[in-house]
């Protein structure tokens, strides 16, 4: 979990690890402090000595033959055969430089990547991924898709669903425009978060990994229902039929069910960013838009 320990949010743990971890959250604040985490790990390793308790992991046996050597190069911490955090960061960097076409074996599912065990349903796409043209219309569609996805995440407000939305958003953006634009816009969103909501570096890495999974599965299985493809990333109890509604519908339903919710949300958005930052960001967006 890194040298400088920061409380571990329970939403970062897998569904298998959560029931074991919750009793160690003595103050019921949704996180494990250093002592709580150490006690949890002792209990976890008794039951699962060769497994990682984290949700965001990559089981290297699901890598394609061409990508296996990259996985082996990055697999330097216990347990072997599973990449987490720093290992994932290094793997994604090496993969980007490798020029490989796909990191995963044929018919691999998101659940298979995260747990080593595939879903019963294999995604077999009759379509071959064709990157949308690189033009201003499609670049705008990418920005719209990612912004809409972020709004839905915020409005639904389901704790632990951010990785699911990261993956879904990137998948849907890949259907809207070229990959280079998706990466560029996501990099800008990452910059926003780093400036406005500092978190442990491992959390950022897991966000980047969810983004990467969204893009890679879009290329493997284009034109699928992204909310179904990434169910393995959704937290327990999360209703993926709700996440498939439009942002407008979700805004309307929330406004109707909670008095003054819309006004509070607008105030939250305007207070979140400093005025000068909004102006700088708007100028950058206009500049990027006109240069596309």
């Amino acid at each position: 979990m890194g040298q400088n320990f920061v409380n571990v949010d329970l939403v970062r743990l897998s569904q298998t690890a959560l029931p074991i971890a919750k009793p160690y959250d003595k103050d019921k604040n949704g996180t494990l402090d250093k002592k709580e985490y150490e006690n949890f790990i002792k209990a976890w390793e008794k039951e699962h000595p060769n497994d990682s308790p984290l949700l965001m992991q990559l089981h290297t046996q699901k890598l394609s033959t061409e990508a296996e050597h990259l996985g082996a190069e990055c697999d330097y911490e216990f347990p072997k055969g599973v990449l987490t955090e720093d290992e994932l960061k290094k793997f994604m960097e090496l993969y980007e430089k490798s020029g490989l076409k796909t990191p995963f074996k044929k018919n691999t599912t998101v659940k298979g990547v995260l747990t080593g065990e595939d879903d019963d349903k294999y995604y077999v796409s009759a379509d071959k991924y064709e990157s949308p043209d690189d033009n201003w219309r499609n670049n705008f569609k990418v920005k719209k898709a990612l912004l809409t996805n972020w709004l839905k995440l915020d409005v639904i407000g389901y704790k632990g669903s951010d990785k699911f939305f990261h993956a879904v958003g990137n998948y849907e953006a890949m259907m809207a425009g070229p990959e280079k634009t998706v990466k560029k816009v996501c990099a800008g969103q990452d910059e926003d978060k780093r400036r406005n909501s500092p978190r442990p570096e491992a959390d950022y890495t897991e966000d980047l990994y969810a983004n990467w999974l969204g893009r890679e599965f879009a290329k493997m299985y284009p034109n699928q229902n992204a909310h179904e493809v990434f169910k393995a990333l959704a937290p327990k109890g999360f209703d993926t039929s709700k996440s498939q509604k439009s942002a407008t519908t979700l805004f309307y339903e929330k406004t109707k069910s909670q008095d003054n919710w819309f006004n509070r949300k607008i105030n939250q958005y305007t207070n979140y960013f400093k005025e000068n930052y909004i102006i700088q960001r708007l100028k950058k967006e206009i500049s990027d838009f006109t240069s596309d």
Side-chain angles (χ1 to χ4, degrees), residues 143 185 280-290:
K143 295 175 183 180
V185 177
Q280 291 171 8
R281 187 70 184 166
L282 180 60
K283 287 180 179 178
K284 185 177 185 301
E285 285 293 326
I286 293 173
S287 175
D288 290 346
F289 180 77
T290 56

Side-chain angles (χ1 to χ4, degrees), residues 51-82:
D51 297 326
S52 165
L54 295 174
L55 169 64
M56 302 304 291
Q57 53 189 12
L58 190 160
H59 282 248
T60 57
Q61 72 265 35
K62 295 301 178 181
L63 293 174
S64 64
T65 303
E66 295 81 4
E68 280 180 344
H69 69 285
L70 298 180
E73 184 176 342
C74 299
D75 189 13
Y76 51 82
E77 291 183 356
F78 180 85
K80 298 298 182 184
V82 179

Side-chain angles (χ1 to χ4, degrees), residues 127-133 174-179 218-219 222-223:
D127 300 328
K128 180 180 178 182
Y129 177 73
E130 298 288 346
S131 178
D133 292 336
M174 288 284 286
M175 298 297 108
E179 184 173 15
K219 288 183 282 187
N223 303 317

Side-chain angles (χ1 to χ4, degrees), residues 159-217:
K159 188 174 176 62
S161 65
D162 60 322
K163 303 300 183 286
F164 168 80
F165 277 103
H166 273 279
V168 169
N170 274 258
Y171 182 105
E172 292 177 342
M174 288 284 286
M175 298 297 108
E179 184 173 15
K180 72 172 188 177
T181 305
V182 180
K183 290 179 179 178
K184 182 178 179 180
V185 177
C186 286
Q189 291 180 341
D190 183 54
E191 178 187 344
D192 287 343
K193 286 186 290 186
R194 287 174 182 271
R195 287 191 183 190
N196 293 283
S197 56
R199 292 178 293 144
E201 191 61 30
D203 287 356
Y204 289 117
T205 297
E206 292 176 346
D207 286 352
L208 294 176
Y209 179 50
N211 291 344
W212 182 77
L213 286 175
R215 296 193 296 269
E216 293 304 321
F217 272 82

